[in-house]
Each structure stands twice: as C-alpha cells, then as structure tokens.
Amino acid sequence: MTLSLFDAEENKRTWQEPLCDGALVLRGFVLDDETKILAALEDVLAQSPLRNMVTPGGFRMSVAMSNCGTYGWVTDRGGYRYDRMDPESGNAWPAMPDFFAKLAQEAAAQAGFKNFEPDACLINRYEVGARMSLHQDKNECDFTQPIVSVSLGIPAMFLFGGMRREDKAMRVPLAHGDVVVWGGAARLRYHGVLAVKTASHPLLGQHRINLTFRKVN
Ligand code: MD3
Ligand code: FE
C-alpha cells in the first residue's frame, strides 16, 4: 500500500464556490489556458487597443477597455451602448477567438446554463488604483443569459451588492485564473471592483485583466 502526503482533494487547483442563487465561482478554471489566452489577447489588442473611455457624465474611466466579438461595449458623452464598430478604428471589433467562446460556454454549463453563445467579450484592464463603481449590467437583451467573467493578473476585491445601489455589498476576492458565472437571480445585482492594490503578477506585471462574456443580441 502507498502512503500519500497529500489528499487528492486538497491538492487540486480548481474548485467551485457557490456565492448565492445564480452566482458560481470557478476557482482556477482557466489556469491551464493562461498563456493561450494572453497570446490571443495580444492579437486582439493590436487591432483594437485598450483605451480609457469617457462616461456620459464626462469622467474618464480608470479602467482601460477594449472588446472582441460581434458587439463591443462603449461609452462616451452620448451614453452607454453596444456597437458593432470600434469608434477608435472605425472597423468592426476583432473576432472573438473560438476557444474564448468555448471556455465561456464550458464555464456557463458548469453553473447549469446550457448552450451559452457569447457574442461580446469586454476586456477590462486595471492598473494599480483603478476601480469600477457599483453598477448593473442591463444593456443586454435577454437577462436569462448569464455573464461569464474571467480574472487574470493581480488580484482584486469584487463587490457584489443587491438589487438596489444602497444594499450592502459582499466582498469577493478574485485571483488569476478565476472564472465567475453570473446568471439567474444574480444577473441584475449591483456590482463593482475596489481600487486595485499594488501587487505584481509574473505574466501581467502590475495589471489585472478581466474578460466578461455576454450575449448581447
Ligand atoms: C455580477 N466588470 O465589465 S466582472 C463589467 O472585474 C464589470 O472588471 C468587473 O462589472 C471587472 O461590467 C466585474 C464580474 C461581473 C460581471 C458582470 C456581472 C459580475 C456581475 C453582472 C451581474 C452580476
Ligand atoms: Fe458589470
């Protein structure tokens, strides 16, 4: 008989943490794909570079953004919207890599959302100090479709609020490789990200990247 120092269960680098009805954290879900994801992102961002967009209120966002897929999320003085065109390049957004859509679909399926076919991937890049204030994601057509988020690089503290901006928010730490599926009763809850603290990641330096996969239309 062999003696093992580590229990297989305690040794695994991926596990699930349900947050509430509709929200499931898949810790380490994309760890095996990190280099492939970052190479594909480099290619996307060469075509549609990250930029700090302006909110309808006239503030420049601390998070730098770009998109891939049929639709991209944009904001300017005119408001928030999804657009087929990158307003900076005047071209369509870069195509969403097939394996991005596949990863998002697999994650969604783990949470019970079958056949999720994202048509938009918003790319958010946080430098140290960047934050995202509490908001709802409600520019998509069908709220029965989940949103899948992928965290890469330095960690962040995610704020998961309620159905009203004033509701007390739960704090959820998100680290490199973590994926979260937000659907069902969680889909329209307020959420945000606290100012990112100084840290360094071997692949991304002092940055955090978050990808959100959405079904817009
Ligand atoms: C909960 N991004 O791009 S991802 C966003 O880390 C956004 O960059 C954050 O919120 C980030 O809109 C958070 C997690 C997330 C995304 C969408 C949600 C959580 C959500 C929609 C409903 C509830
Ligand atoms: Fe959001």
Side-chain angles (χ1 to χ4, degrees):
M1 173 173 141
T2 52
L3 279 175
S4 145
L5 285 173
F6 300 101
D7 184 277
E9 282 296 299
E10 290 174 14
N11 219 2
K12 65 190 181 182
R13 18 181 233 163
T14 68
W15 66 93
Q16 300 192 353
E17 291 176 11
L19 280 184
C20 68
D21 190 23
L24 179 66
V25 185
L26 305 168
R27 297 288 182 196
F29 191 78
V30 296
L31 282 177
D32 289 342
D33 304 290
E34 57 182 12
T35 48
K36 201 177 168 195
I37 294 171
L38 293 175
L41 276 178
E42 200 176 321
D43 191 47
V44 164
L45 297 176
Q47 299 167 68
S48 279
L50 291 161
R51 80 291 304 261
N52 296 86
M53 298 184 198
V54 175
T55 65
F59 296 99
R60 200 163 280 282
M61 298 183 75
S62 59
V63 179
M65 299 177 160
S66 185
N67 296 274
C68 62
T70 305
Y71 300 97
W73 186 86
V74 292
T75 177
D76 57 23
R77 288 308 301 248
Y80 309 124
R81 65 186 179 279
Y82 283 101
D83 204 311
R84 288 178 174 268
M85 191 184 81
D86 174 351
E88 293 291 319
S89 70
N91 300 322
W93 295 102
M96 188 187 307
D98 286 343
F99 83 98
F100 274 27
K102 193 160 162 266
L103 277 175
Q105 183 166 100
E106 283 168 2
Q110 295 274 310
F113 297 94
K114 308 292 175 211
N115 308 316
F116 177 55
E117 287 184 4
D119 55 12
C121 170
L122 172 59
I123 303 160
N124 294 330
R125 190 189 65 183
Y126 295 74
E127 50 186 35
V128 171
R131 57 187 287 273
M132 191 175 285
S133 49
L134 282 178
H135 66 276
Q136 290 173 298
D137 290 15
K138 51 181 185 185
N139 282 55
E140 303 77 22
C141 289
D142 179 1
F143 301 138
T144 68
Q145 295 286 328
I147 290 179
V148 174
S149 74
V150 175
S151 291
L152 298 165
I154 64 176
M157 192 59 82
F158 178 76
L159 290 175
F160 188 39
M163 292 300 290
R164 295 172 307 172
R165 191 183 293 279
E166 311 73 52
D167 292 342
K168 191 176 159 47
M170 181 182 169
R171 292 178 174 210
V172 183
L174 292 178
H176 180 79
D178 292 348
V179 172
V180 193
V181 183
W182 313 90
R187 180 63 181 77
L188 288 173
R189 282 171 64 167
Y190 277 87
H191 58 277
V193 179
L194 290 182
V196 169
K197 291 188 173 169
T198 304
S200 185
H201 183 276
L203 298 175
L204 283 160
Q206 294 191 335
H207 289 112
R208 168 177 192 258
I209 289 184
N210 181 268
L211 309 177
T212 44
F213 293 92
R214 300 137 188 272
K215 177 97 175 97
V216 170
N217 278 314

